[in-house]
Amino acid sequence: MTVTLLGAAEIRRLAAELDVTPTKKLGQNFVVDANTVRKIVTAADVRAGEHVVEVGPGLGSLTLAILETGARVTAVEIDKRLAAHLPSTAAAHGVPEDALTVITSDALRVDELPGEPTVLVANLPYNVSVPVLLHFMETFDHLQRGVVMVQSEVGERLAAAPGSKIYGSPSVKAAWYGAWRLAGTVSRQVFWPVPNVDSVLVGFRRDPEPRGTEAERLATFAIVDAAFNQRRKMLRQALSGVLGGSAAAASEVLERAGVDPTLRGENLTVEDYLRIARALA
């Protein structure tokens, strides 16, 4: 059986039938170009037999492109109308019934995915892209790799290296789980409605072993937040609140971790932050 993709006219017709108007509140911008959804699936290297989780499938354009490869999809959709209609759209386009599972839920509240998918592919809502990504990386350690489409500024920050102006808290927290890379750009014109920002594809691959324990992750992330809340200050000042209550106490912990207290947060790798957390402990 061959899976066919949605075209722009059919997407608009489906939206009209379901009385769905893309909303800013839910960060909805539907992709109406078949070449673009295939580009996302190719960038993610999705293969037949794999199990993919998709966040925010909407009307199903990317969902069908994933299913076209012969992969199975678990789709997480917050909009009840869209979630209820997705299986019939898939069936009408040649998708076998057992290839698609739909979970009607806020992605930030999902704590279980049936079948433990190993690949994440999504056009993430702009307003919650980083929280959703970090929630999925933290909650589902069976996710080994993936590609997501996000706002350009967000994608560049996720993939940023230490020392750059755009390197920040999301960069470090994402790096806790593995390596991130920019995997392509996406034209505004492939969306309906057309957004007023550019989009990029960001790919990740999880490290084979966890970087640290859950307690160490929480401690590290608290230190990261403190460092970037006052990113213009030296670490001994920015971290004084979480490393003993004074610049002198913070300096002592930093030196114990082998980190120069006069550096700023943007100069440190995720490994540096973990060493600080371990030195504090």
Side-chain angles (χ1 to χ4, degrees), residues 8 22 47 59 71 77 80 84 101 103 108 110-111 115 148 159 172 175 180 206 212 239 246 256 272 275 278:
R47 305 192 178 184
L59 292 163
E77 175 58 62
K80 292 178 182 176
T101 301
I103 297 172
L108 286 167
V110 171
D111 57 11
V148 294
V172 185
W180 297 72
R206 189 186 289 269
L239 298 181
S246 69
R256 203 156 62 232
D272 293 328
R275 285 207 317 278
R278 284 174 172 165

Side-chain angles (χ1 to χ4, degrees), residues 105-179:
S105 176
D106 180 345
L108 286 167
R109 297 181 182 277
V110 171
D111 57 11
E112 191 177 349
L113 292 172
E116 299 195 341
T118 56
V119 186
L120 169 64
V121 180
N123 168 20
L124 288 176
Y126 286 161
N127 51 350
V128 292
S129 53
V130 171
V132 166
L133 258 182
L134 292 177
H135 171 67
F136 268 60
M137 297 303 292
E138 172 194 335
T139 310
F140 306 116
D141 57 9
H142 45 81
L143 289 176
Q144 296 304 306
R145 69 175 207 281
V147 167
V148 294
M149 180 158 57
V150 294
Q151 186 177 336
S152 291
E153 184 183 330
V154 171
E156 286 161 3
R157 290 188 79 187
L158 284 168
S164 64
K165 286 183 179 178
I166 56 172
Y167 183 75
S169 172
S171 321
V172 185
K173 290 178 179 179
W176 175 271
Y177 301 103

